[in-house]
Structure formats: C-alpha cells, structure tokens
C-alpha cells in the first residue's frame, strides 16, 4: 500500500505547488511574505522538477505491480486447474459454471463439454439422493456440507469421491455452490478390503488368535471361542499355553519356533485342551507378521479342530490296512511289516520265518454250512492262530482262507518249530460255531530270511506259498519248508522252456531210431523214433531232460507235430533207398487229447504222400490213455480208420483195468522195460510178464518187450512166448541215416533160434 499512500501525498503536494505557483504569478506572494519573488519562483520550479521525477518513478512502480498482479492471477488459475482436487461452481439450477481440469478429468470429459451442463448427470443414480439432500441443506443453512458418493465414469465404471460443498455469491449476486471433489476410490477399496478381512476374521471357520511377539493374546475370533470354549475376554492378555493339553512334548514347540524363525511360518498338529477339559486335535498354522524393518510384531495362529476328521482318517487307514472280517493286517500291511522285519533281521543278524497258511477243508465248510458260518469260523480260527504266536510276530490274512505269519528273532531255522506246531494246533482246534461242531486244519509253507542270495519280500511270500502247496500235496495238516535248491532246479526248467522253443526254431532237435525186431523170425519190424536235442553247449540231450518241462505247455503239441512230420520224412527218405520200414512215434498226453488231433494227423500224413499211414504207429503211455477213456477210444478208432495203429507204451505201469483195456483198439502192448530188465533175477517180474503176455493174446494184440539189454533176456522172453523185442541188446537208438545199413547187416542172435526151437 506504500505506493498508493505515496501517491496521495504526491497529489497533495502537487496541489500545494500549484497554489504557490499561482500566487507567485499573481504577485501577491512576495508582498505577503516579503520574499524575493525570483528566488521563490526558482525554488518552486526546482520543486516542480523534483516532483516531476518522483511522479515518473511512481508510474514505474505502478506498472510493475500491475504485472505482478497479472502473474499471480495466472498462477492462481494454474493452481485452480491443476490442483489435485476437483473444483467447480454450480449455478442455482445445478449447471456447471466453472470447473477445473482436475474435475473434468475425473469425469473423463473435456471441460468444454461440461460447462453449462448439469453435474448430477455424472452422479451414480443410486447416489443422486445424497447429492440433492446435501445441496438442499447447504441452500437452507449455508453450512458447508461434506459427503461421499459415486461418480459415473464414461466407461461405465463408478468412482468414489468425497464432496465438500460451500455456498458463495456470484458476480451478479446470484447464489452459487462451490464444490471441492476428492477422489477416494483407493481409500474406499482398502476400507472394503479391511472390512472383508474383519469379516473373515470374525466369521472364519478356523480359530484365529493374534498375539504380541511375547505371546500375549491380543485378540481371538468367534471360531476360537467356539472351538476352545473360551470367550475372547477370558483369554485376551493371557498366554496360549492355557490351551495346552500336556500331551505334547516340548520338542514339538521348539521345532515350531525354529520353523517360525527360519521361514516366518510354521505348521503343527497338536492335541489341545478345551475349557471343558476335553482334548481336541488341532491343525495349526502360525504366521509371524513382520513390520517394515522385518521385526515380528505379531503372531497369527490359525487352527481348526480336526479331531473328527483325523478319527475318520484313522478309520480309513484301518480299512486300508486291516482285514474287515478278522481285523488282522491285510496283504498291504503284511508286505510292509515283512519289509520292516527283514530290515530288522539284517540288523540283528537273527532269522525270520515267513509262513504261508492255507486252511484245509474250509471250502467244504463254506459250501456245506454257508458263508455266515464260514466267516464265523474264520474269525475264530484267526483268533486262535494269533494267540498261538509270540508278541513280536505278526499274523495277517491275505484273503479267503489264506493267512501269512511272520515269525521274527529266530536264532536258527529249527527254533521256528514250536511256533509252527502251535500254529498247526491252533488251526486244527475244534470249534463250535452256531451250534455246529467244526474243525479244519492248516497246511503251512515256511521259508526263512536271510538266504544265501538277495531276495525281496514278494519272493519270500512266493516261496512260502510254494512250500504250502507242497504241504498240501504231502497230505495237509503239516508244514513244509521251502527248498531253495529244488526251486533253483525248477526255475532252471522254466528258463529252458524259452530255450526249448528257440531250439525248435533253430532246428536243434533230431530223431534217433531204435529198431523193433522179431527175435525168432529174424525180421526188423520197424523203428521207434526217439527225440534228441543236439544242444550247442551241453551236447546230445535225452528226452527226459527237456520233455517234462514242456509237458503241460502248448509247446509240447508243436514239438509233437514236428516229431511226426520228421519221422515221416525219414520214412520217405528210406523208401527212396528201397527200405520199407514202419515207424513208431511217441505221443504225449497233451497232444493226444488236443481237440483237432486227428485232423492235424491227417494233414501231416497228406504232407508225405509216399509214406503209408499203415506204416505209422503211435505209442501212447498207458497212463495217458486212461485219463479220458471215452475220448481216447473214439480217437483211436478215428486214427484206425486212417490206417494208423496204436501201441500202449510202458505197459504194466498204469494199473489198467481189464474192462477198460478191452475197449481200447490197440494193436500192440509194449511191456515196460522195468519188468524186462530185472526178470532174469526176479521171479515176480516173470509172473507179471507171463500175465501181460497172456493178456495181450486174450485181447488179440501183439506184445513187445522193451529194454532187452542182452541176448539172455531175449532167450527168456521167447520162452515166455514174447518174440518181439526192442532194446540195447539188439540196437541202441541211432541216427536215421544209419538205420538202412543197420537193417541190412542185422542177424538175430543164434541163441534165440535155439530157444524157439524148444
Ligand atoms: P519209451 O517210449 O519207452 O522209449 C524207450 C526208452 O527206453 C528210450 O529212452 C530208449 O532209449 C530206452 N531204451 C531202449 N532200450 C533200452 C534198453 O535196453 N535199456 C535201457 N535202459 N533203456 C532202453 P529215451 O530215448 O531216453 O526216451 C525216453 C522216453 O521219452 C520214451 O520212453 C518216451 O516215453 C519219451 N520220448 C522219447 N521220444 C519222444 C517223442 O518224440 N515224443 C514223446 N512224446 N515222447 C518221447
Ligand atoms: Mg515209446
Ligand atoms: Mg516205453
């Protein structure tokens, strides 16, 4: 204001100067004062000049203060527009009179589109009421109003704002509403998040407890109270130890704190105690909440009551591991226990026994008395057997009437004997179930661990199973100890099954032929084909070393067909050399009883048209012919129709009943070599030979003796009426190529002609 004050003073002094100058001009001044008018005029002029300079200076000041004013005005508009707060003034009708850029951008529109438009158009319809109410209040009271509502964004979204409304008068004196609008979207969001967190805290199904770093309980939620039975006010300020069940060792808590320290959170399952004293199993997660510099300011503990759940789980575990009927460990758990016992045995250096137990005669009880009684019986037997074992031993049920026992800590194999006998006795204990007197017995297979070789639990069970089978074969109600040696042998066989198949495809098999002769007529009747295996490593192998392995296997049929085929091929080859010679081929039971045996035979014969079917004889073991008499009789008749005849091999070993024998259309009986070999010293054998020879005559078939090892055998046989023979005393089996030459040179023993002459 100094400049304007100075200005007034200037005006006053200028007026004074004018007065003085006028007086001077009128000449009255000097007279009145007596001064020299020239001097006065000069001084006035001087004053005037000075004043002139001052005025100019003052003008200068005025201009610069005007500039400053303009600058501050524009600064004010910048502030107004760019303030972080939205401003607007609304006219009486709610029209926007003025609006800053901040608010325009909040509304998402250019300022020009907003001026002279209603602000309410941009307010969320649901919140318009709030706006009108406060506008009215402002108009009535003139009191500033503050309220929150949502603005509509052009994109369709809503945005929370806080409005501050003030009343003002416009230039023309009209009422204005000045609005400051603040964006509070972020604050609202975090408020909502907090509200949600609070809701979660309050209504969570998990109990939540927040403590200070020293463990003092600060707050708990409703679930905490529900689970523990403590109200919030009862626990706040106390230590969570009040929940401790006393069941848990200190170490579990130490581990928890270590985990918290290292990872910031920890998990533990503990037994806690409710206010009522009841225990509950709690699954707990504890979180250390750090502040910005990493110091723990709170612990949050979340826990749920899993007592029921855990009980359910335990029940399921039991179901998965225990047999529902007898409650004994099932196969799964037994495998586990066996595994443990094996590790234990390795550590202790003691032995363990695996006992596979199958009840004898249980099926009959089930069939006869029904499953219900069968089940009761199983429960009772299982119970007796379990009680017969020692503390550390385990009895499990594998299913049906099969059990397994693991006997541990045996100093040696024989120390298992008392237990095995007790198990047998327990299994065979007479029982009274539902009014019935019942009794079964047990067949036990036993194997021991460790063995000389590495072996796993599965293999042990298999060994015990095999041994149990032996116990059954040996007459049941007994135990049989697995014989590793025997097993290795059997496994050797198993391996050679593959090897035999391979040998067949690699053509390692060949046929030897052994002549059959009439000792008296001095005639070669035919030759028996006997299979050999020319093994690349083991040399020439006899049929006993490989035929039993494939006896029950389809490979036996394949090999059998190979034999017929090959025998016929040799027969054709001999024919070419002018030798007509019948061949005998041994037929295994499996091949013989094969459904399409006759059809296959017909095909094989057709393959060798030069060979005469009547020149083929099939040797069938007496034992295999008896298995399915009806079928075999029919089959033999069909072969007979083809011209193919049969011989009953190893006759005398199969206890054939005469009635059956009578029905078999065989042409020849081959007396088993066992009778022939020993007949020289054994009168019983001679009696048998006599009766066999008599029987053959009665049936109208020929009889031939096998195993004629010496000429003496021949002599006696001829004396008994059997002139046909086969054996080392005549010829050993030989390769097919050698046979024609042998036939050429063979002459019967001189003694035979003599004995026949008698
Ligand atoms: P098998 O049919 O009773 O054959 C006679 C067996 O007695 C032959 O043994 C033969 O070499 C032997 N042998 C012959 N004469 C004498 C003798 O004087 N003394 C003694 N100690 N043994 C004599 P091989 O060749 O070892 O055959 C054994 C058995 O194998 C045969 O008994 C037969 O049942 C079976 N077999 C042989 N080849 C075949 C075949 O191709 N298929 C079938 N399914 N079985 C065959
Ligand atoms: Mg034979
Ligand atoms: Mg024989």
């Amino acid at each position: 204001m100094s400049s304007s004050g100075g200005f007034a003073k200037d005006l006053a002094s200028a007026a004074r100067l004018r007065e003085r100058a006028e007086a001077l001009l009128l000449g009255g001044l000097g007279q009145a004062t007596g001064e020299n008018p020239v001097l006065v005029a000069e001084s006035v002029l001087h004053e005037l000049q000075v004043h002139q300079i001052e005025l100019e200076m003052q003008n200068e000041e005025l201009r610069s203060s005007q500039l400053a004013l303009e600058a501050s005005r524009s600064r004010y508009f910048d502030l107004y527009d760019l303030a972080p707060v939205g401003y607007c003034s609304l006219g009486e009708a709610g029209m926007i009179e003025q609006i800053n850029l901040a608010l325009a951008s909040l509304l998402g529109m250019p300022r020009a589109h907003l001026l002279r438009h209603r602000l309410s158009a941009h307010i969320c319809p649901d919140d318009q009421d709030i706006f009108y109410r406060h506008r009215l209040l402002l108009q009535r009271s003139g009191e500033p109003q503050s309220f929150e509502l949502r603005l509509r964004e052009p994109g369709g979204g809503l945005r929370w704002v806080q409005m501050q409304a003030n009343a003002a008068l416009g230039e023309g004196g009209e009422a204005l509403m000045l609005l400051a609008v603040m964006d509070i979207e972020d604050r609202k969001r975090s408020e909502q998040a907090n509200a949600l967190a609070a809701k979660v805290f309050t209504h969570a199904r998990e109990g939540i407890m927040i403590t200070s770093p020293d463990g003092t309980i600060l707050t708990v939620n409703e679930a905490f109270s529900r689970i523990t039975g403590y109200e919030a006010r009862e626990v706040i300020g106390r230590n969570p130890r009040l929940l401790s069940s006393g069941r848990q060792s200190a170490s579990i808590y130490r581990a928890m704190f270590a985990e918290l320290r290292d990872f910031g959170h920890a998990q533990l399952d503990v037994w806690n105690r409710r206010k009522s004293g009841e225990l509950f199993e709690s699954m707990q997660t504890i979180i250390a909440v750090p502040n910005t510099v990493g110091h723990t300011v709170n612990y949050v503990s979340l826990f749920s009551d899993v007592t029921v759940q855990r009980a359910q789980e335990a029940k399921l575990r039991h179901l998965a591991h225990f047999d529902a009927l007898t409650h004994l460990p099932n196969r799964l758990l037994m495998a586990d226990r066996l595994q443990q016992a094996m590790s234990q045995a390795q550590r202790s250096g003691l032995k363990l026994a695996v006992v596979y137990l199958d009840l004898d005669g249980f099926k009959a009880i089930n069939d006869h008395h029904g499953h219900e009684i069968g089940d009761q019986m199983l429960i009772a037997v299982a119970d007796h057997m379990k009680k017969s074992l020692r503390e550390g031993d385990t009895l499990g049920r594998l299913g049906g009437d099969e059990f397994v026992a693991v006997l541990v800590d045996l100093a040696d194999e024989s120390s298992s004997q008392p237990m095995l006998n007790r198990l047998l006795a327990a299994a065979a204990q007479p029982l009274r179930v539902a009014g019935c007197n019942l009794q079964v017995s047990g067949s036990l297979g036993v194997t021991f661990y460790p063995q000389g070789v590495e072996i796993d639990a599965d293999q042990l069970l298999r060994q015990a199973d095999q041994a149990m089978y032996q116990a059954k074969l040996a007459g049941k109600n007994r135990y049989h100890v697995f014989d590793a040696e025997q097993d290795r042998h059997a496994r050797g066989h198993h391996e050679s099954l593959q090897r035999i198949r391979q040998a067949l495809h690699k053509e390692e098999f060949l046929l030897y032929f052994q002549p059959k002769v009439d000792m008296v007529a001095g005639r070669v009747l035919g030759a028996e084909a006997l299979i050999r295996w020319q093994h690349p490593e083991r040399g020439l192998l006899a049929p006993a070393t490989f035929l039993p392995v494939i006896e029950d296997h389809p490979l036996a049929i394949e090999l059998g067909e190979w034999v017929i085929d090959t025998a016929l091929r040799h027969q054709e080859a001999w024919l070419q050399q002018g030798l007509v010679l019948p061949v005998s081929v041994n037929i295994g039971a499996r091949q013989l009883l094969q459904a399409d045996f006759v059809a296959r035979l017909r095909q094989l014969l057709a393959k060798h048209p030069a060979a005469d079917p009547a020149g083929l004889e099939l040797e069938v073991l007496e034992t295999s012919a008896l298995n399915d008499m009806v079928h075999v009789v029919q089959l033999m008749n069909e072969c007979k129709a083809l011209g193919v005849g049969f011989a009953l091999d190893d006759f005398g070993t199969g206890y054939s009943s005469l009635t059956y024998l009578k029905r078999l259309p065989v042409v020849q009986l081959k007396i088993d070599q066992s009778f022939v070999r020993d007949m020289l010293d054994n009168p019983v054998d001679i009696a048998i030979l006599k009766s066999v020879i008599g029987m053959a005559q009665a049936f109208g078939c020929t009889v031939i003796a096998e195993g004629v090892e010496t000429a003496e055998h021949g002599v006696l046989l001829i004396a008994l009426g059997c002139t046909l023979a086969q054996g080392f005393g005549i010829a050993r089996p030989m390769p097919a190529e050698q046979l024609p030459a042998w036939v050429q040179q063979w002459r019967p023993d001189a003694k035979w002609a003599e004995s026949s002459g008698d």
Side-chain angles (χ1 to χ4, degrees), residues 594-603 634-635 638-639 642:
Q594 168 200 8
D596 60 348
F597 176 75
V598 180
R600 297 290 302 149
L601 182 64
R602 197 179 287 123
Q603 280 171 15
Q634 186 196 338
L635 197 138
E638 282 176 50
C639 291
L642 287 177

Side-chain angles (χ1 to χ4, degrees), residues 528 586 619 649 670:
E528 178 179 8
N586 294 284
E619 292 191 8
D649 207 348
K670 293 188 80 172

Side-chain angles (χ1 to χ4, degrees), residues 328 334 353-360 380-390 393-397 401-408 410 415-431 439-448 464 468 476-480:
L328 291 176
M334 269 326 276
V354 178
V355 184
Y356 204 107
L357 195 150
D358 188 286
L359 296 183
D360 311 315
V381 174
D383 192 46
H384 287 149
M385 293 196 300
K386 193 181 151 89
K387 283 181 181 143
S388 76
L389 297 178
R390 299 164 305 166
D393 300 335
T394 320
L395 179 72
R397 181 178 176 218
D401 59 350
E402 290 179 20
F403 297 83
V404 69
V406 177
L407 313 177
V408 294
L410 305 173
S415 50
S416 66
Q417 268 176 27
M419 264 100 75
L420 296 174
N421 288 326
R422 279 210 304 274
L423 262 177
L424 282 174
Q429 196 165 316
L431 297 164
Q439 187 174 15
V440 288
S441 61
S443 291
L444 275 57
V446 190
T447 193
F448 294 94
M468 181 277 291
K476 303 177 180 169
N477 191 22
R478 68 192 60 219
Y479 65 84
H480 180 90

